[in-house]
Amino acid sequence: MQAKMQTRAVSGRAAARSRVSTTKVVCRALNSMESPYAEELKKTAAYISQKGKGILASDESNATTGKRLESVGVENTEDNRRAWRELLYTAPGLGQYISGAIMFEETLYQKARDGRQFVDILLAQGIYPGIKVDTGLQILPGDKGETTTQGLDGLADRCKAYRKQGARFAKWRAVVKIGEAGCPSTTAVLENAHGLARYAQICQENGLVPIVEPEVTLGPGDYSIEETAFWSERVYSHTMRLLNEYGVVLEGILLKPNMCLPGLDAPVASPQLVAEVTTRTMMRSIPPAVPGIHFLSGGMSEEESTLNLQALNEACPNAPWALTFSYGRALQSSTLKTWAGKESNWAAAQDILLKLAKANSEASTGSFKGPHPVPGGGRILQALRTGGAGK
Ligand code: 13P
């Protein structure tokens, strides 16, 4: 009897030892991230999320860029899209405030009028070129208008080609709709988390830092800031869980979420309330291993985007992650209106871009004192773009 018990104890210990050693092997594999790019990815992510800098999101599809250009009387031609991006990337001194620029595929391969590649112009400013790799939103079955994001087919090969052209990071935008009965569905939350995790895994395998963008979108309705926070926490937690499941190394990603805001028909929340609720949501769902949280502007006005970012950094001065920006509309809207396609406005438009970038850079360190370069403007809303190349 005693001998039997001893045998059982020994085999129990052996089983425990083998469990421990299996765990060790798995941990080693994940931590060392058996990708030839492991160390580079961590350094790139740390560089982009460095103190006082943020991302210029300029990866609008040709269709969306066209709509924006046409809104200021500029025709949607390849050369006009090229000229618009040239204005952005050649703004003198932009690299003081911007550490990464996200590009659309067409732009990644374009050149300035003096023949220099855009990627070289950006690198000379200390700005890493990035690339939007998703191919847009598709409506999920059902009648709620929920979406999933496409672009996994052929992604590994595209990442390799984009890296060869100079890209060092990527973006994939998943949109989760709230504010309507039945939204978000569990299907939408899980499907979007799965897509983000698979995308992130493929990017890391192929030498690109993935920006993981789970956007709980600002939409119509009078839902409260707490409702946004509830769903945001859930969406980010599921996304992090899936990133873990797919062996994505968190030190080598950047997160691009929404700030927590009430619905468009509810009264606007103060920056202090946005900061308090958003910080709580991040603390509950985003591990400190993620180097940078780069908020999208998501329709906030240019001033609101800066003031909310400033309040976030005031509320959370010792946050484990950089709390900074990856703004599209909040950096480009007034810049585009100022340019309006006229050569004579080129310098003035670059000047407003620099002022907006500087204001947000200061807000990302909690040191923005104002006045804001574009005070009091309204929300910059756009229709949800589905079925095409996205943003
Ligand atoms: P906005 O700042 O205009 O929301 O754009 C950020 C972005 O890249 C969304 O995918």
Side-chain angles (χ1 to χ4, degrees):
M1 177 74 165
Q2 214 178 355
K4 243 191 202 164
M5 279 173 67
Q6 263 171 2
T7 315
R8 260 196 225 130
V10 169
S11 60
R13 276 199 299 276
R17 257 201 312 276
S18 121
R19 272 201 301 278
V20 168
S21 71
T22 311
T23 312
K24 265 193 194 147
V25 170
V26 172
C27 287
R28 211 170 22 244
L30 289 180
N31 290 340
S32 65
M33 204 175 75
E34 289 163 358
S35 149
Y37 302 111
E39 290 313 310
E40 183 197 306
L41 292 174
K42 291 179 191 174
K43 281 194 193 127
T44 303
Y47 179 88
I48 296 173
S49 56
Q50 68 184 272
K51 215 171 177 40
K53 295 199 184 180
I55 295 172
L56 167 64
S58 55
D59 56 309
E60 296 84 1
S61 65
N62 291 347
T64 303
T65 307
K67 288 222 154 84
R68 304 240 170 113
L69 291 177
E70 279 156 12
S71 75
V72 296
V74 177
E75 200 189 337
N76 184 19
T77 62
E78 181 176 347
D79 198 51
N80 284 339
R81 294 192 295 271
R82 193 204 55 71
W84 165 232
R85 266 58 182 256
E86 177 172 344
L87 184 152
L88 299 176
Y89 304 152
T90 59
L94 188 67
Q96 297 167 82
Y97 316 117
I98 300 290
S99 49
I102 321 175
M103 305 162 98
F104 191 61
E105 189 179 50
E106 175 184 273
T107 325
L108 182 70
Y109 293 92
Q110 279 176 327
K111 293 178 180 156
R113 56 190 129 170
D114 64 7
R116 285 179 303 154
Q117 293 260 352
F118 280 163
V119 289
D120 293 330
I121 290 172
L122 288 169
L123 287 169
Q125 294 242 46
I127 300 173
Y128 273 130
I131 174 78
K132 169 190 169 71
V133 300
D134 69 73
T135 54
L137 306 177
Q138 275 296 313
I139 298 284
L140 283 168
D143 59 357
K144 301 284 178 212
E146 293 187 297
T147 56
T148 181
T149 302
Q150 302 198 119
L152 290 175
D153 288 352
L155 180 56
D157 288 341
R158 286 194 287 127
C159 286
K160 287 187 183 85
Y162 297 148
R163 185 179 158 90
K164 204 162 154 216
Q165 176 62 15
R168 287 294 175 271
F169 71 102
K171 179 190 116 170
W172 175 284
R173 176 175 178 243
V175 176
V176 176
K177 177 179 173 181
I178 63 169
E180 203 180 300
C183 291
S185 62
T186 305
T187 309
V189 173
L190 294 180
E191 164 65 19
N192 281 295
H194 169 267
L196 284 166
R198 256 312 261 141
Y199 139 82
Q201 181 191 45
I202 294 169
C203 284
Q204 288 197 335
E205 278 291 315
N206 291 286
L208 298 179
V209 168
I211 293 187
V212 173
E213 182 175 359
E215 175 178 351
V216 176
T217 197
L218 174 63
D222 62 355
Y223 56 88
S224 69
I225 191 170
E226 285 297 338
E227 182 163 349
T228 306
F230 175 86
W231 290 116
S232 299
E233 193 179 320
R234 191 162 270 235
V235 167
Y236 306 155
S237 302
H238 277 289
T239 302
M240 290 298 150
R241 169 79 192 93
L242 268 284
L243 291 175
N244 175 268
E245 197 65 55
Y246 281 77
V248 173
V249 171
L250 297 185
E251 291 85 350
I253 73 163
L254 298 167
L255 190 79
K256 175 161 176 165
N258 51 288
M259 292 184 194
C260 293
L261 304 173
L264 286 170
D265 302 319
V268 174
S270 69
Q272 287 66 34
L273 183 60
V274 171
E276 182 191 319
V277 175
T278 304
T279 305
R280 190 191 68 205
T281 304
M282 300 292 145
M283 288 294 193
R284 287 179 178 173
S285 54
I286 313 299
V290 174
I293 297 181
H294 292 252
F295 292 99
L296 52 93
S297 60
M300 292 186 286
S301 77
E302 286 151 312
E303 185 175 31
E304 189 182 12
S305 306
T306 305
L307 296 184
N308 285 351
L309 186 60
Q310 165 69 16
L312 267 157
N313 279 286
E314 279 173 14
C316 207
N318 299 315
W321 343 263
L323 289 175
T324 182
F325 61 94
S326 175
Y327 290 164
R329 283 164 279 178
L331 289 170
Q332 293 184 44
S333 196
S334 292
T335 309
L336 179 63
K337 280 187 206 142
T338 306
W339 175 50
K342 297 200 173 68
E343 190 61 31
S344 54
N345 295 335
W346 188 270
Q350 288 188 326
D351 185 55
I352 191 75
L353 172 66
L354 286 172
K355 287 190 169 124
L356 287 164
K358 180 169 188 281
N360 288 304
S361 155
E362 289 170 358
S364 76
T365 61
S367 60
F368 175 73
K369 303 261 185 298
H372 196 270
V374 186
R379 290 266 167 82
I380 317 165
L381 301 170
Q382 66 179 4
L384 192 66
R385 312 197 69 82
T386 55
K391 191 189 161 197

